[in-house]
Amino acid sequence: MKLSRTTFGERIINSLIILAGYSSILFVGLILVFLLREGLPALNDVPLKDLFGSRWYPIEKYFGILPLISGSILVTVGAILIAVPFGIGTAVFLSEFSPPWLRNLLKPIIEILAGLPSVVLGFLGIQIVAPFFRRFFDLPTGLTAFTGAVLLALISLPTIVSIAEDALNTVPPAYRQGALALGATNWQTAWGVTVPAARSGLLTALMLGVGRSIGETMAVMMVTGNAPVLPGGLNALFMPARTMTATIASEMGEVATGSPHYHVLFFIGIILFLISLVVNLVASSLTLRSRKRSERLLS
Amino acid sequence: MKRITVFVIVIIAMILTACTASGSDQTPPPSTYIQNKGSDTIVNLALAWAEEYQRLHPEVRISVTGGGSGTGITAMISGTVDIANASRQIKEEEMQAALANGIEPVEHVVARDAIAVIVHPQNPVNQLTIDQISLIYQGVINNWQEVGGENRPIVRLSRETNSGTHVYFLEEVIRKGDHNNKAIFSADTLLLPSSEGIIAEVSDNPNAIGYDGLGYVTEHVKVLAIGTQPQGPFVLPSIETVNSGAYPISRDLYMYTRRDAPPLVGEYLNWILSPQAQDIVSRLGFVPIVTLSAGN
């Protein structure tokens, strides 16, 4: 009797846990269905040529989303170029070189950075960073894609550091001991053995950093100037840009439900969804491939 | 067994707290509660009115939020707010949507506003014609030299497209009030999400030109005198010049209510048109309508 009651209780707990596990699939599925239902009519409302045009001014029916896509890519690539050297470097320092007392000081500080609301960073950006860059680079305005990229780098840095550090910590100590025993210096061990061994985890860190950057809205909206300009060259990084997230955030509140503008904003949401899907697929396939390779090497 | 009992108790407790929480939401009686939402241009003014009115009538609660003229009108149409603040007139399609929803919007002009064109305090340019501003914002004029300033690039600043001020500026300045004119903002115009953002950038950047409601302008920026003809006269915005009609870029500010609004809302709107409430209008840098009607 007692036994059956226990198994009954256990079965309930088990099914609750399974339900919780499947619920995330359900939620993502529902979000996708909702996005598709609200966004796909955009293809019907706006001719494809106009939708992928170069001018975004929705209150006059210009629905060209190319400047927005390129704006997001520009800001994100800029952020990753800044954040990855800093982030991986910090992680390598924390896990390989730092004395324990310094690590115990640095890690909470990095976590505080992760906890800063992005609107606070945006405020600092508009008051301090943007005016500084305008003077420093002698730009017409400091509200540029680059300013956004710097803030995004700060925002994605904690993600990159903590995942990269985890990856480095999971490298078996025998690797380091072996390298040191062969006479390699600390630096040679870190650069030649530990970092390559943790490569898949570091790539995951990078990809999650990309995901964090492309989805960030508030700080970017405050400092990039939000001008929907199609980038013409490398100097576009130092000109204003408008991202997809900032566009949705600033226009969704005003738009009439069911209008072409409304559908196009959801269509932009679909594109963001697809981008984060691709980023995640790439991240997991990289992890998978390198694992297979290491498994092959070990066997 | 014991664990399951605890589990059940926790669940029941959670359900009970949820019930009390939803119950307490309904305590403020709707008859003394006014929801007011809409244009960011008016939000400070609406707040000042609400505070003063609540001081005079402690039994009335008024909540004021911003979000843009369209946001407020949409909320009024869907019946979630009593008063929509708007810096533009209601659009035909919004009127249709409201009527389709069984709500008849009533328009009240509650104040007037002038749009100030602003530059950095060290910019030597003091005056521009509407034509010059239009060409600057269309991206035809790109250097301050072309309008009598220094050899600097012009950085154009604007509110986001969801702002009533943006639409007003597009129609009355860039298109000069001509409905057949299809000119739009140059693509490289910076669209900033707040008035504060525009003031911050203009007060810091000598290349910038911006526009904003007169009520938002601070002493950190320089206000330009505006003319309709190249030979002048050029007029600085002030309560007098807006009331006399001499300053060309000014507009009415509106509150929209539903025809069958509770009497409380009507009393509030009557108070807003009183000299006492209109005094607050001029204190916040807007232009009172009572003075206007006295002047006419």
Side-chain angles (χ1 to χ4, degrees), chain A residues 61-104:
Chain A
K61 313 261 178 290
Y62 291 92
F63 290 120
I65 59 175
L66 277 188
L68 310 179
I69 298 177
S70 54
S72 274
I73 291 174
L74 189 68
V75 175
T76 305
V77 168
I80 289 304
L81 287 181
I82 299 165
V84 160
F86 274 103
I88 306 278
T90 309
V92 169
F93 175 74
L94 281 179
S95 102
E96 308 299 316
F97 296 99
S98 152
W101 66 266
L102 188 54
R103 182 184 320 163
N104 291 341

Side-chain angles (χ1 to χ4, degrees), chain A residues 5 55 57 59-60 62 126-127 131 134-135 139-143 221 225-229 240 242 250-251 253-254, chain B residues 1 70-71 88 153 155 160-162 166 170 175 184-193 197 201 204-207:
Chain A
R5 199 174 281 163
R55 185 72 167 102
Y57 194 65
I59 58 175
E60 287 292 324
Y62 291 92
I126 216 168
Q127 294 290 342
R134 182 178 63 76
R135 294 196 182 85
L139 301 170
T141 172
L143 300 171
M221 186 159 85
N226 299 322
V229 198
R242 188 180 181 88
S250 60
E251 291 171 17
E254 177 74 359
Chain B
M1 178 60 201
T71 313
R88 59 166 171 81
V155 171
E160 272 286 356
T161 51
N162 62 1
H166 177 105
L170 173 71
R175 294 177 176 169
I184 57 172
F185 281 86
S186 163
D188 61 4
T189 306
L190 274 63
L191 300 174
L192 302 187
E201 177 69 1
D204 176 69
N205 188 343
N207 305 319

